[in-house]
Amino acid sequence: MVLPEGVLINGIAGGVTPETGRYTKRLSELAGIFQDKQAFLEQVRLNADPLVYEVSEYRKDGADLFFGTTHHAPR
């Protein structure tokens, strides 16, 4: 039986407590979703493969569902 749990999302900082995972995505990892492939590669090269977003997540052990918050990097 899976019982409900309390999870806090900080509305200012965006963090999840308890946090069970965190990952980041850089621009190069988003290859294939932009129409102009040449412009995409140029942006990766010119901007030293910038960080695009970071995710803080909560996933209960044994559950298939998870949720979290995403922090988008300023442009």
Side-chain angles (χ1 to χ4, degrees), residues 46-61:
L46 290 175
N47 295 300
D49 196 17
L51 179 67
V52 177
Y53 64 89
E54 180 175 20
V55 175
S56 301
E57 68 180 29
Y58 173 76
R59 182 185 309 252
K60 182 168 177 62
D61 284 340

Side-chain angles (χ1 to χ4, degrees), residues 15-40:
V16 177
T17 304
E19 178 183 273
T20 60
R22 176 179 291 263
Y23 63 90
T24 60
K25 287 289 183 180
R26 297 208 163 268
L27 186 57
S28 65
E29 296 176 273
L30 303 177
I33 66 170
F34 297 99
Q35 185 173 358
D36 190 335
K37 292 179 176 69
Q38 200 60 34
F40 167 78

